Amino acid sequence: MIKILILIILFFAAVEDIKKMEVGYIYPASILALSFVNFFLKPYISLKFYLFNSFLVFAVLFLFWLLGGIGGGDVKVLTALSFYAGFRIWDILLFSSMIFLLYSLMLRKFKTKLPFMPAIFVGTIGGLFANF
């Protein structure tokens, strides 16, 4: 159930990113709140691991933000999503990056800014629901 709510939140974040090229604070805050609900529902989850993993995700994405390769809203949403997804956030990042690369190749827009949140939405579907 929480997965579906997170996907709905990501869908609306993607729509806002397409329209405005920015993502509101409500989206990462909502994902973070759902992640903490998940911690209470599943007490066997290691909070220390999730905190370390989220810090690592933030550090990597912050470097990309400093270089101008990703927006601040994308960093916030992906960091919040890492509290829910745990180690699968790296799968989500990989899927999202591949999807972004594909649609930037199809649109042939390399110098212009494109919204990354739609790729995050589709990448999350692949990362959370894929069974390897």
Side-chain angles (χ1 to χ4, degrees):
M1 181 65 178
I2 292 178
K3 282 183 189 180
I4 303 300
L5 291 173
I6 286 177
L7 287 175
I8 291 169
I9 292 167
L10 288 175
F11 173 78
F12 285 111
V15 169
E16 184 173 320
D17 198 19
I18 290 169
K19 288 181 180 179
K20 300 180 185 177
M21 286 298 291
E22 62 182 42
V23 178
Y25 291 106
I26 190 71
Y27 303 109
S30 301
I31 292 170
L32 193 59
L34 288 172
S35 298
F36 284 117
V37 167
N38 192 46
F39 284 125
F40 290 116
L41 294 176
K42 298 177 182 176
Y44 55 86
I45 294 176
S46 170
L47 185 60
K48 289 179 186 178
F49 167 75
Y50 278 72
L51 287 172
F52 176 75
N53 188 48
S54 296
F55 175 76
L56 189 61
V57 167
F58 175 77
V60 169
L61 294 176
F62 186 73
L63 289 175
F64 279 105
W65 176 78
L66 285 176
L67 297 172
I70 192 171
D74 303 324
V75 173
K76 289 180 267 189
V77 166
L78 284 166
T79 301
L81 189 59
S82 69
F83 277 101
Y84 176 77
F87 195 67
R88 296 202 81 150
I89 191 67
W90 300 105
D91 296 334
I92 292 169
L93 281 169
L94 178 65
F95 289 144
S96 300
S97 298
M98 290 187 317
I99 290 163
F100 183 78
L101 180 64
L102 285 174
Y103 80 70
S104 64
L105 285 172
M106 289 189 313
L107 295 174
R108 296 183 183 167
K109 292 185 179 183
F110 304 108
K111 302 287 183 185
T112 61
K113 291 185 177 184
L114 292 172
F116 188 51
M117 195 57 61
I120 294 172
F121 170 67
V122 177
T124 302
I125 293 171
L128 287 180
F129 290 101
N131 294 322
F132 318 128

